[in-house]
Amino acid sequence: MLELLLALGGLVLLRDSVEWEGRSLLKALIKKSALCGEQVHILGCEVSEEEFREGFDSNINSRLVYHDLFRDPLNWSKTGEALPGGPLEALRALCRRTDPGPVTVALDSLSWLLLHLPCTTLCQILHALSHQDSCHGDSSPGEQVHVLGLLHEELHGPGPLGALSSLAQTEVTLSGVMGQASAHILYRRPQQRPTHQTQWFSILPDFSLELQGGPPLESQPNPDPHTPSTDPTTHLTFNLHLSKKEREAKDSLTLPFQFSSEKQQALLRPGLSQATSHIFYEPDAYDDLDQEDPDDDLDV
Amino acid sequence: MFPELNNLLNTTPDQAEQGKLTLLCDAKTDGSFLVHHFLSFYLKANCKVCFVALIQSFSHYNIVGQKLGVSLTTARERGQLVFLEGLKSAVDVFFRPQEDPHPLQFLREANSGNLQPLYEFVQEALKPMDSGEAAWRCPVLLVDDLSVLLSLGVGAVAVLDFVHYCRATVCRERKGNVVALVHDSGDAEDEENDILLNGLGHQSHLILRAEGLATGFCKDVHGQLRILWRRPSQPTAQRDRSLTYQYKIQDKNVSFFAKGMSPAVL
């Protein structure tokens, strides 16, 4: 799954929530990129460098360049330790980076940047960042820039979310059921229709990915040991079963309003099999039986 | 502190974890009992506590603290507790010259400023002791509560920045803990509060959420507590453990029980 996510290049958007966090998946992708030989630049705004590097072995850590925006992002301490220019300058510096070779840029997190920078500025920088190979005329077309962005869905309205979503080549939305995480992945390949995929997974302590088959089965409610299962149809005072003769009689019964071929024939040829019907009428003493047609005097 | 809550959280004052942000939130009920719990817990754990109390007066917390076995007056006198009484010092802001820095400086500013003076107050209060004085176990920042800052005109991003800096200093640098209470507006569409609550939720290691019962007020069950552990140091299979218990608040204690197992209904 990780290879597929990194295959397209461009911006990979990881959308997580409070209940299903996405930093582990981000670290798994970073580990994958580092193992493929790429250099990884991380703009860390939400966790400290020590906490981010935790869990990676030294081989991978040597390939990670952590730009620390966690300790003093707004330059409150005024000790000069903060990155100059704040978050905006740090992002622009990443765009201007000129070292050759495939590179992965991880933004942890895009939500922090979106809360502190105008949405339009951030989108422009992200676009410039993910299309860097077109800026450098001499870079080979095979080199892709991967930009991994972690976005906390609940913090933003539909406008910024939609804007970032439209910039992304791959979008992963994290959710899950009962402790088992799932990723709903949307691939936007150029000149093709977007494709969806849902994958259940779990992240191991060393940040490698383990695919799961599906959601965990609902835990079977334990059968109550105190009530043995009884058959309620025993010891009844009435008969629930049919004997063979009764069953045959039941099956051969035609229902009164069922339209069968015999009934159809009977209706089409009236009188052949039916007896004609008679009406017996006894007039009362006060009945006026007039044989004339009452409408005769009409001029119609 | 409530011993049953300690059992649920699997912690004791002697083995308190360090470097954690705990988020307390309440929805449709009053979650301040959690604030009293953590205040007495960390005082008993021999930690240096900086309490930014914006909601109630010092004597209120003191009275409740005495029921739970800690004396805030004593703690303040011997330097274990630094207490910022918001209700009293908010008035002081207006009777001082403007150049003097005050933690609640944002009250004077016309547009929603940042909480840097408040952060500097916390930083100063929890700075490491010189070697001559008594060594406290770890610094703890307790805030009651953050939603009132939104009501006082501070933006949600400014409050998130304040908590960010507190985390960087108290949790990361000084290996302490931060505990903050945020109210959940629930159905009332308060976007700023939602941004604050969710933003803090993403940063926290432990979320305790006190909710009123969906069916309304009950004499024997006062509410339901949801505990969510996030961001353990190692992503294991149990990384998003979540537990739900119901509780009843008594005079000196809060009793917890599984859902539907209140002693009154059994």
Side-chain angles (χ1 to χ4, degrees), chain A residues 18 45 51 70 72 116, chain B residues 161 164-165 167 202 230-231:
Chain A
V18 172
C45 318
E51 196 177 333
F70 172 74
D72 193 1
H116 290 84
Chain B
D161 287 339
H164 176 112
Y165 268 89
R167 243 187 347 127
H202 279 284
R230 292 184 83 251
R231 287 174 57 185

Side-chain angles (χ1 to χ4, degrees), chain A residues 180-193:
Chain A
Q180 182 62 55
S182 75
H184 180 85
I185 311 171
L186 173 67
Y187 298 100
R188 287 201 185 89
R189 296 188 178 83
Q191 280 138 26
Q192 285 182 32
R193 286 165 71 186

Side-chain angles (χ1 to χ4, degrees), chain A residues 29-289:
Chain A
L29 283 168
I30 287 174
K31 177 179 171 179
K32 186 80 189 168
S33 297
L35 287 176
C36 291
E38 298 191 7
Q39 201 189 33
V40 184
H41 290 263
I42 301 161
L43 192 66
C45 318
E46 289 194 346
V47 294
S48 63
E49 186 169 354
E50 296 89 9
E51 196 177 333
F52 198 87
R53 286 184 186 271
E54 218 177 302
F56 289 138
D57 55 16
S58 55
N59 174 27
I60 297 176
N61 265 324
S62 57
R63 292 190 172 276
L64 304 186
V65 179
Y66 194 86
H67 304 265
D68 193 352
L69 269 183
F70 172 74
R71 205 156 3 129
D72 193 1
L74 305 172
N75 203 16
W76 281 4
S77 64
K78 297 199 174 25
T79 54
E81 281 180 357
L83 290 182
L88 191 56
E89 265 316 303
L91 269 179
R92 291 209 171 114
L94 280 176
C95 283
R96 288 192 298 259
R97 163 204 62 78
T98 50
D99 33 305
V103 89
T104 297
V105 176
L107 301 171
D108 177 14
S109 64
L110 270 176
S111 283
W112 194 95
L113 292 169
L114 204 52
L115 288 176
H116 290 84
L117 297 173
C119 182
T120 46
T121 316
L122 183 62
C123 287
Q124 285 167 354
I125 295 180
L126 276 180
H127 184 87
L129 202 54
S130 38
H131 290 80
Q132 244 177 338
D133 43 358
S134 58
C135 302
H136 299 162
D138 53 347
S139 66
S140 60
E143 281 177 9
Q144 289 174 325
V145 178
H146 296 111
V147 181
L148 310 172
L150 182 63
L151 189 65
H152 306 309
E153 279 190 307
E154 310 109 323
L155 296 181
H156 310 287
L161 281 181
L164 286 176
S165 173
S166 64
L167 281 177
Q169 264 68 53
T170 315
E171 220 177 297
V172 183
T173 307
L174 292 165
S175 65
V177 149
M178 274 177 59
Q180 182 62 55
S182 75
H184 180 85
I185 311 171
L186 173 67
Y187 298 100
R188 287 201 185 89
R189 296 188 178 83
Q191 280 138 26
Q192 285 182 32
R193 286 165 71 186
T195 48
H196 297 258
Q197 186 195 0
T198 302
Q199 183 67 61
W200 297 84
F201 67 98
S202 63
I203 311 257
L204 302 174
D206 65 346
F207 295 107
S208 52
L209 198 75
E210 188 185 305
L211 297 179
Q212 308 281 342
L217 296 172
E218 287 291 321
S219 54
Q220 304 295 333
N222 291 330
D224 196 344
H226 296 299
T227 57
S229 52
T230 48
D231 187 10
T233 57
T234 53
H235 311 301
L236 289 173
T237 54
F238 48 89
N239 189 16
L240 274 182
H241 304 286
L242 293 173
S243 70
K244 195 155 173 283
K245 259 176 86 173
E246 288 168 343
R247 201 184 300 272
E248 280 169 7
K250 179 180 162 201
D251 287 336
S252 58
L253 182 68
T254 53
L255 297 171
F257 296 107
Q258 201 165 0
F259 194 66
S260 60
S261 57
E262 291 92 1
K263 265 216 177 122
Q264 188 180 22
Q265 296 303 315
L267 286 171
L268 286 178
R269 288 188 296 241
L272 263 184
S273 54
Q274 271 175 321
T276 55
S277 52
H278 297 276
I279 299 177
F280 299 95
Y281 178 62
E282 297 289 339
D284 283 339
Y286 302 105
D287 263 338
D288 183 17
L289 285 176

